[in-house]
Amino acid sequence: MSATILNEKFIRFSEETKRAEVIAEIYTDTSDELPEKNGLDDRILHQGSVAYVISENRLAVMDSNGNWNYSGT
């Protein structure tokens, strides 16, 4: 399974990339499935996006560099 978007907040449409820029709440089965900042076909993820990694029972938050950081680490 890849990342599934549960909810998102639209920020703006990028004329440069022709994609929506969003803060998203997503879930994945494993951390290997976490999308990169530009890893979704039609969206760009922004800092503050949150991912629930189900099999690891972990929460990850995207920072301003596009990296996923786990809560409490």
Side-chain angles (χ1 to χ4, degrees), residues 9-32:
K9 178 182 178 188
F10 177 81
I11 297 172
R12 68 182 148 271
F13 184 78
S14 170
E15 288 295 328
E16 182 180 320
T17 63
K18 305 297 185 207
R19 294 190 287 172
E21 300 178 12
V22 300
I23 296 173
E25 180 180 342
I26 64 176
Y27 70 87
T28 65
D29 282 334
T30 67
S31 58
D32 293 336

Side-chain angles (χ1 to χ4, degrees), residues 57-69:
N57 195 29
R58 296 171 80 182
L59 176 69
V61 180
M62 183 172 277
D63 67 18
S64 61
N65 295 317
N67 299 313
W68 290 104
N69 296 292

